[in-house]
């Protein structure tokens, strides 16, 4: 009897699985908090040059601050004060346009920031504005580079040593580096520690997802994928509330990491993946967890005929001590084709999703409200995704979600900036379709690859995705070259990767493969 048949017998969606999802929800809600943290932690509030030290010779001591500002800072084309320039000295109103010894210079004495929305951000802490503006985007890139390198590392460790112990390592390292990043004394220190925070969170992200999916039966796998993805929605809502309350970036990092303390306590009740144990020949341990699942689901009678020996005999492909690596994804033709296509799809999904998600200030609303709208649209979209996946399939869903995301981004490119309501509506729809594509791609990938390399596969695809995410925020800076260029890039990548998804096999109601031979020589 194959493991999928055993799961169906002992109830592949009972109290055991519900407990597993709830226990992992404690840790998984911090993933969107950290992944989208840059929207608030690195926000750039309104600012102007500090003119307190400007030499006015004592001639303007009786002027109000507003009068001094109009004489010290030049205006932009729209009439607002410049954020990065000031006059070399205060001007007399009557001579403002005629003074030959007065010229504009970059801010000489730092900046004054609007603290109405944010008490402290990375930008205000280290003056990451004007000529250093790109440095305010760099933390997101550095963090996702860490995620990119952490994904294959934790994928390899998880396939080698198991889901459960590797998940514990991810918990501990995430807490350590998150605390260190909140205590950073310099931008360089913060960047380095944030990189390792990303590496640690990569393990939590991919291992927890696979551990959940591997304990669900075939008929409940679609439901499990959507239910697990709701952790991201819940975490996004929590992020808005915490960010609004803790508007200091150091407190914000600590606050969003706090649930991991509870997750550490809950870890003792997490099971190992019986599917992984069977695939690696550890039948006694697998039987222990299967019995635990059967007892909790009130199906212990079904286990009478199932022993470690019957589990071994049920394996049609002989188990051995071979250690798999991510290179096994490319050794054989069918696996190679699947790896290349899924990598391109993941790149497109992540590049577009974070291109929209990390640009929440571009739609005319305050960042808290925009983030709340983005998070709120996810819930109804995931309900639609569930019914679509269950009836139509993964491949059509993946392709359709990416094509519609690209269409929304393309449409918004032609909507004028002053039509902020229309821009916001189209952006929220684009974000919804993009979220749908992310929900699908996780489930799709977990079903495509065999158990012996499943974590390696998710590690590899997550590596490609985080490569996309690390450069995605930087593409926003291309608007200074040509305003429509970022939108054109996001739209083109979404459409292209959506078409590539058509080359992947459908996995609707198919048994999850256990070995590479199941892919190369399907029964």
């Amino acid at each position: 009897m194959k493991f999928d048949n055993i799961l169906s017998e002992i109830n592949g969606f009972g109290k055991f699985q519900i407990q597993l999802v709830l226990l992992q929800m404690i840790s998984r809600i911090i993933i969107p908090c950290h992944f989208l943290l840059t929207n608030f932690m690195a926000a750039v509030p309104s600012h102007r040059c500090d003119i307190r030290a400007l030499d006015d010779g004592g001639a303007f001591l009786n002027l109000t601050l507003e009068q001094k500002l109009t004489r010290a800072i030049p205006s932009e084309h729209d009439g607002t004060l410049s954020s990065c320039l000031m006059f070399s000295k205060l001007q007399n109103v009557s001579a403002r346009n005629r003074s030959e010894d007065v010229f504009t210079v970059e801010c000489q004495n730092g900046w004054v920031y609007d603290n109405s929305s944010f008490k402290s951000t990375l930008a205000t802490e280290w003056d990451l504005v004007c000529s250093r503006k790109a440095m305010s985007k760099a933390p997101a890139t550095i963090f996702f580079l860490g995620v990119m390198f952490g994904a294959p590392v934790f994928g390899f460790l998880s396939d080698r040593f198991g889901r459960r112990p590797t998940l514990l390592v991810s918990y501990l390292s995430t807490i350590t580096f998150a605390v260190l990043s909140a205590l950073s004394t310099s931008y360089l220190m913060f960047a380095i520690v944030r990189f390792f925070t990303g590496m640690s969170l990569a393990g939590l992200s991919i291992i927890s997802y696979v551990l959940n999916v591997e304990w669900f039966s075939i008929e409940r796998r679609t439901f499990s994928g959507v239910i697990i993805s709701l952790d991201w929605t819940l975490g996004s809502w929590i992020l808005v509330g915490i960010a609004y309350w803790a508007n200091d970036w150091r407190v914000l990092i600590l606050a969003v990491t706090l649930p991991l303390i509870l997750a550490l306590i809950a870890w003792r009740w997490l099971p190992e993946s019986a599917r992984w144990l069977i695939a690696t020949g550890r039948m006694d341990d697998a039987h222990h967890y299967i019995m635990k699942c059967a007892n909790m689901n009130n199906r212990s009678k079904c286990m009478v005929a199932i022993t470690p020996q019957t589990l071994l005999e049920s394996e049609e492909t002989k188990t051995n001590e071979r250690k798999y690596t991510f290179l096994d994804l490319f050794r054989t033709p069918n696996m190679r084709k699947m790896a290349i296509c899924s990598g391109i799809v993941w790149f497109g999904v992540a590049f577009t999703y974070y291109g929209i998600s990390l640009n929440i200030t571009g739609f005319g609303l305050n960042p808290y409200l925009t983030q709340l709208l983005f998070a709120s649209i996810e819930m109804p979209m995931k309900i639609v995704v569930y019914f679509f996946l269950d009836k139509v399939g993964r491949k059509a869903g993946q392709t359709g979600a990416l094509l519609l995301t690209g269409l929304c981004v393309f449409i918004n490119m032609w909507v004028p900036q002053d039509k902020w309501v229309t821009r916001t509506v189209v952006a929220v729809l684009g974000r919804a379709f993009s979220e749908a594509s992310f929900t699908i791609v996780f489930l799709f990938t977990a079903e495509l690859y065999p158990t012996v390399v499943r974590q390696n596969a998710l590690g590899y695809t997550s590596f490609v995705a985080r490569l996309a995410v690390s450069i995605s925020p930087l593409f926003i800076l291309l608007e200074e070259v040509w305003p429509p260029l970022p939108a054109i890039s996001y739209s083109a990548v979404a459409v292209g990767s959506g078409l590539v998804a058509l080359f992947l096999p459908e996995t609707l109601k198919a048994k999850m493969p256990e070995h590479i031979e199941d892919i190369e020589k399907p029964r």
Side-chain angles (χ1 to χ4, degrees):
M1 184 182 290
K2 298 287 286 184
F3 182 69
D4 280 313
N5 302 118
I6 296 174
L7 261 185
S8 296
E9 289 289 327
I10 62 175
N11 190 357
F13 185 65
K15 292 180 181 178
F16 181 88
Q17 284 77 11
I18 293 172
Q19 176 181 282
L20 175 61
V21 170
L22 292 177
L23 288 175
Q24 297 226 78
M25 183 181 292
I26 300 171
S27 62
R28 285 184 59 81
I29 58 173
I30 80 160
I31 298 174
C33 292
H34 272 277
F35 278 35
L36 302 176
L37 194 60
T38 306
N39 282 333
F40 304 101
M41 177 180 66
V44 181
S46 300
H47 53 279
R48 60 167 175 82
C49 297
D50 187 347
I51 62 170
R52 287 177 298 178
L54 195 63
D55 181 19
D56 62 2
F60 301 102
L61 290 177
N62 295 325
L63 294 179
T64 64
L65 176 60
E66 183 178 355
Q67 291 171 328
K68 284 186 177 183
L69 290 176
T70 59
R71 291 159 174 76
I73 300 176
S75 298
E76 301 288 357
H77 295 298
D78 59 1
T80 60
L81 295 177
S82 173
S83 299
C84 302
L85 297 175
M86 61 186 290
F87 291 116
S88 57
K89 64 180 182 179
L90 286 174
Q91 294 195 96
N92 186 292
V93 174
S94 60
R96 180 164 183 169
N97 296 322
R98 295 183 282 107
S99 180
E100 296 180 357
D101 61 339
V102 176
F103 48 90
T104 59
V105 295
E106 294 183 353
C107 297
Q108 302 295 298
N109 307 295
W111 289 264
V112 175
Y113 297 95
D114 177 8
N115 294 325
S116 59
S117 296
F118 303 98
K119 179 181 177 182
S120 174
T121 70
L122 298 180
T124 63
E125 179 90 8
W126 291 300
D127 288 332
L128 307 181
V129 295
C130 299
S131 61
R132 305 178 74 193
K133 180 181 177 181
M135 294 179 68
S136 68
K137 302 290 184 184
T141 297
I142 292 168
F143 172 80
F144 285 114
L145 283 173
V147 178
M148 180 178 76
F149 285 103
V153 170
F154 276 98
F156 169 78
L157 293 176
S158 180
D159 276 342
R160 176 65 65 89
F161 301 107
R163 299 4 178 176
R164 193 167 178 266
T166 315
L167 196 58
L168 179 61
V169 173
S170 177
Y171 286 174
L172 293 172
S173 56
T174 298
I175 293 173
T176 301
F177 290 118
V179 171
L180 287 175
S181 63
L183 300 176
S184 296
T185 56
S186 68
Y187 182 83
L188 179 61
M189 176 183 174
F190 175 80
I192 294 172
V193 178
R194 192 68 179 153
F195 174 87
F196 287 106
T197 305
M199 279 194 71
S200 304
L201 275 167
L204 196 162
S205 176
I206 63 175
I207 297 170
S208 59
Y209 189 91
V210 167
L211 182 57
N212 278 328
V213 170
E214 289 185 336
W215 271 108
F216 280 86
S217 59
I218 294 174
E219 58 271 15
R220 295 291 188 175
R221 217 160 53 215
T222 301
F223 184 71
S224 73
V226 175
I227 286 294
I228 296 166
S229 71
L230 292 180
D231 299 342
W232 184 277
T233 304
L234 179 60
S236 297
W237 279 333
I238 291 173
L239 173 62
V240 177
I242 294 178
Y244 187 80
W245 167 74
N247 55 5
D248 180 289
W249 69 271
R250 297 180 189 272
V251 177
L252 181 57
I253 292 177
L254 295 175
V256 300
T257 310
L258 197 59
L260 273 187
I261 303 296
L262 293 176
L264 273 177
I265 299 172
W267 176 84
R268 62 177 294 183
W269 291 289
L270 285 179
E272 181 56 272
S273 168
R275 193 185 295 271
W276 175 81
L277 291 169
I278 292 173
T280 54
R282 296 170 57 180
M283 301 306 172
D284 289 332
D285 293 333
H287 185 263
H288 166 74
Y289 284 111
I290 294 172
M291 279 294 299
K292 190 174 182 179
C293 177
N295 291 333
M296 188 173 291
N297 291 346
N298 297 319
R299 296 290 183 88
S300 54
K301 293 182 179 179
C302 300
M303 291 295 295
V304 174
I306 299 176
T307 65
Q309 184 61 34
T310 59
L311 288 177
L312 182 61
E313 293 171 355
S314 70
E315 280 294 283
E316 296 176 13
T317 303
K318 184 180 178 181
T319 57
N320 52 52
E321 295 300 318
R322 180 186 171 189
K323 305 302 182 183
Y324 293 89
T325 70
F326 97 100
L327 294 177
D328 289 293
L329 303 177
F330 299 91
R331 294 190 196 279
T332 52
N334 288 347
M335 287 288 293
R336 184 163 52 246
K337 174 187 174 183
M338 198 160 65
I340 293 172
C341 290
S342 61
I344 293 173
V345 171
W346 270 84
F347 184 96
V349 169
F351 183 80
T352 310
Y353 179 87
Y354 285 97
I356 298 173
S357 300
L358 297 180
N359 188 30
I360 63 173
T361 58
F363 306 108
L365 301 176
N366 73 65
Y368 301 107
L369 182 55
T370 305
Q371 183 63 45
L372 183 62
L373 287 174
F374 278 0
S376 298
I377 194 65
E378 292 180 7
M379 185 68 75
M381 177 54 71
K382 286 177 178 178
I383 295 174
V384 173
V385 166
Y386 167 68
F387 287 104
F388 188 93
L389 292 182
D390 203 42
K391 301 298 181 182
V392 181
R394 283 62 162 148
K395 183 159 62 173
Q398 190 70 72
T399 299
L402 282 168
L403 292 180
L404 289 171
T405 301
L407 178 63
C408 289
V409 174
F410 183 77
I411 290 174
N412 233 4
M413 186 172 62
W414 303 101
V415 180
Q417 291 287 340
D418 58 337
K419 304 290 185 181
W420 62 269
V421 175
T422 304
R423 287 181 59 81
T424 302
V425 170
V426 176
V428 168
L429 285 175
R431 173 57 150 71
F433 289 124
S434 184
E435 172 63 31
S437 70
F438 233 129
T439 301
I440 297 168
V441 78
F442 259 108
L443 177 62
F444 201 7
T445 305
E447 293 178 334
L448 282 171
Y449 288 94
T451 302
V452 292
V453 292
R454 186 168 293 122
Q455 281 287 183
N456 274 305
L458 271 176
Y460 152 71
T461 52
S462 292
F463 176 90
V464 175
R466 303 319 163 191
L467 173 62
V469 176
S470 65
I471 63 176
S472 185
L474 303 180
F475 268 71
I476 299 173
L477 299 174
L478 292 178
E479 63 185 4
E480 297 182 7
V481 178
W482 185 40
L485 190 53
I488 291 174
S489 302
Y490 295 129
S491 180
V493 170
V495 172
S497 58
L499 295 176
V500 171
L502 293 172
F503 294 95
L504 292 170
E506 181 56 70
T507 60
L508 177 62
K509 301 191 185 303
K511 290 185 177 181
M512 294 177 75
E514 304 294 343
H515 301 274
I516 291 177
E517 290 81 3
D518 297 335
I519 300 296
E520 298 302 323
K521 298 177 182 179
R523 295 176 178 81

